[in-house]
Amino acid sequence: RRGDGWSTPRPLGGVNTPGNDNFPFFAGRELHWVTDFNRIVHAPLTETLRDSLPAVAAEGVMPFEYEDTRLYVPVSARGHLDWFILDTGASPTILDTAFASLLGLHGRDTTQRTGSGTGQLTESFGDSITLRIGNVPLAVPTPAIAPINALLARYTGRRAPGIVGSAFFTGGRAVTLDFENRILYTRRTVHPTESFLATSIPISVSGGVPFVQATLRFGSGRPIPARLMVDLGAKANLLLSEPFIKRAGLDAVQASGVPSILGAGVGGETHFAFTRLARLELAGTSAIGADSLVVGLSVGGTTRSTLFDGLLGAEFMRLYRVTFDYANARMLLRPRLPVPPNLEFDLSGMYVTASGDSLRTMTVATVDARSPAALAGVVVGDQLVALNGREVRSMTLSAVRSVLRGPIGGRITLVVVHAGARVERSFDLARRV
């Protein structure tokens, strides 16, 4: 049973030893199956139709949301519950200024912080607090406090009360992200059977952040080695830094890419030139990789770090069931079957942002001059009223962007407010990268 109805029966891998059939069958209102090949067990059907639980001795199990290439987990503290961004690439745990005030925390030792983007973020530090990530306690001795909601919300279309960073992954626990079922679970040790059908990828952890070796190939060009930060907060398959672009001789690739805003980082708005990568492989193994990925090359000083060559984002990681096992310096990647299709780059040529108290006011922030939207007369500043007959105020920003990603050739009909008047614009979506 799935959210949209009944699917074709399949082995319930995980009820029994991973990788072995468990011969499930229904009898009345119960599900029966074989366990350990020595007995048959059964459970009420209503219980078995609940969200899947991992076949491990889990410390914590929780849902996560994957929206517009970013992960969110439920976080509670002092009686307040909200959804935080989950980010392996963030060193501190960050609380938005307003959320910190709600918890009774006030910042001190104000400083300026740099990161993706060309600007700086003002942050301070609060007193110790314990957050609960799902049902897993996380002690945060000195949480960073910064106005991240004001920075991110217009690009994500949802509030950003906080970011759960590296401390969640380095706290002596293994963390698994099951993208198929949208479940995160943690435990103290990884059982050997969890390696079944998974590939172990060596990682190095520096400052609480994981790094992996990779090989990149653009078109028919030479293979290029790269050191990548595994960054769940990166809103793409892969984002390459400008020092690496220079060193690897990718200036022509950068110049030929499609420029676009991606969102915002610590340093403000981020810009990349997007192109297709013929092949990405991790740790020198062909078993873990992907073809024809849309990747971004930093422009305008967006990503300037020399600590890594690029950021490996959640959009690539969603191709696998991912286990972060820092204690053993590895990631376990188990391919999803069937393999999810690659996410298309925006096919309209316009970048839309959200504003207003409910973040349902959608405005065109940029328009590519050669794109379908531009040729149809859409301009910067147009406010979206309806999209394919649906009122935009009833949609999230993620839903709007999803429509604009395809399918290729799909017809888009927009009603926008332009210069104070409601006008209709129509165009066909076309691949731009």
Side-chain angles (χ1 to χ4, degrees):
R1 175 72 177 178
R2 297 184 180 274
D4 56 354
W6 291 93
S7 66
T8 302
R10 59 187 175 89
L12 302 177
V15 174
N16 191 28
T17 305
N20 293 310
D21 284 336
N22 35 62
F23 314 108
F25 63 92
F26 292 106
R29 293 182 176 273
E30 291 194 318
L31 175 69
H32 298 241
W33 69 91
V34 175
T35 181
D36 299 328
F37 293 98
N38 64 9
R39 62 193 179 100
I40 295 177
V41 296
H42 56 92
L45 180 58
T46 53
E47 294 295 319
T48 62
L49 291 182
R50 286 181 169 180
D51 287 342
S52 303
L53 295 181
V56 297
E59 169 196 41
V61 181
M62 70 198 74
F64 69 83
E65 295 183 357
Y66 185 60
E67 182 178 297
D68 198 25
T69 67
R70 183 162 272 167
L71 280 88
Y72 299 85
V73 291
V75 175
S76 58
R78 298 180 180 175
H80 300 279
L81 172 66
D82 218 318
W83 290 83
F84 280 33
I85 295 168
L86 182 67
D87 188 358
T88 49
S91 294
T93 295
I94 305 176
L95 302 177
D96 177 66
T97 306
F99 192 78
S101 179
L102 191 66
L103 300 179
L105 295 178
H106 303 285
R108 60 180 185 278
D109 302 327
T110 301
T111 185
Q112 299 294 314
R113 181 181 175 194
T114 60
S116 293
T118 57
Q120 295 181 326
L121 181 69
T122 300
E123 72 175 5
S124 56
F125 299 91
D127 294 329
S128 174
I129 189 171
T130 296
L131 307 177
R132 296 194 70 84
I133 319 303
N135 60 338
V136 179
L138 177 66
V140 186
T142 52
I145 298 174
I148 57 171
N149 184 61
L151 175 67
L152 300 177
R154 68 185 298 255
Y155 302 99
T156 61
R158 60 186 290 169
R159 294 186 311 105
I163 299 175
V164 176
S166 58
F168 183 66
F169 298 87
T170 57
R173 61 174 61 90
V175 180
T176 293
L177 295 170
D178 180 347
F179 279 90
E180 183 176 7
N181 295 299
R182 303 289 170 87
I183 292 174
L184 179 153
Y185 51 95
T186 69
R187 57 261 183 246
R188 289 299 169 182
T189 58
V190 176
H191 193 277
T193 58
E194 293 186 62
S195 301
F196 195 79
L197 298 181
T199 299
S200 180
I201 301 296
I203 62 173
S204 59
V205 180
S206 177
V209 176
F211 296 85
V212 64
Q213 296 298 320
T215 303
L216 319 180
R217 188 185 294 273
F218 288 89
S220 58
R222 72 191 190 285
I224 305 172
R227 182 176 186 254
L228 306 180
M229 177 193 293
V230 182
D231 184 5
L232 293 177
K235 289 173 52 61
N237 290 295
L238 174 66
L239 301 172
L240 299 179
S241 72
E242 290 180 41
F244 174 75
I245 293 167
K246 296 290 185 185
R247 190 171 68 254
L250 298 175
D251 300 80
V253 175
Q254 180 193 53
S256 65
V258 175
S260 176
I261 300 171
L262 182 61
V266 167
E269 196 167 84
T270 59
H271 296 258
F272 293 86
F274 288 89
T275 187
R276 285 196 180 265
L277 184 68
R279 179 70 181 170
L280 166 65
E281 292 182 358
L282 297 188
T285 172
S286 59
I288 299 297
D291 299 320
S292 191
L293 293 177
V294 175
V295 301
L297 284 72
S298 171
V299 295
T302 288
T303 304
R304 309 174 301 280
S305 177
T306 56
L307 299 177
F308 55 82
D309 299 327
L311 305 174
L312 188 66
E315 188 57 24
F316 175 82
M317 305 307 289
R318 74 178 176 93
L319 303 177
Y320 304 91
R321 178 183 296 180
V322 185
T323 297
F324 294 96
D325 184 11
Y326 287 12
N328 293 296
R330 62 178 180 171
M331 289 191 303
L332 294 175
L333 300 182
R334 178 171 176 169
R336 290 173 59 184
L337 296 174
V339 178
N342 289 339
L343 185 69
E344 278 290 348
F345 184 70
D346 166 74
L347 304 179
S348 71
M350 60 183 187
Y351 187 86
V352 180
T353 58
S355 61
D357 292 341
S358 62
L359 295 171
R360 296 301 174 93
T361 299
M362 310 290 178
T363 305
V364 178
T366 63
V367 183
D368 189 325
R370 300 158 294 186
S371 67
L375 296 175
V378 178
V379 299
V380 172
D382 283 355
Q383 184 176 316
L384 277 61
V385 176
L387 173 59
N388 287 351
R390 183 178 175 185
E391 289 192 1
V392 169
R393 65 183 180 184
S394 71
M395 304 175 69
T396 63
L397 180 59
S398 175
V400 169
R401 288 178 177 163
S402 180
V403 173
L404 299 178
R405 283 194 177 107
I408 296 171
R411 187 70 172 172
I412 296 295
T413 301
L414 288 176
V415 176
V416 301
V417 174
H418 173 75
R422 290 168 65 106
V423 295
E424 184 174 294
R425 310 291 191 199
S426 296
F427 54 87
D428 294 331
L429 296 173
R431 175 174 281 175
R432 303 167 55 234
V433 173

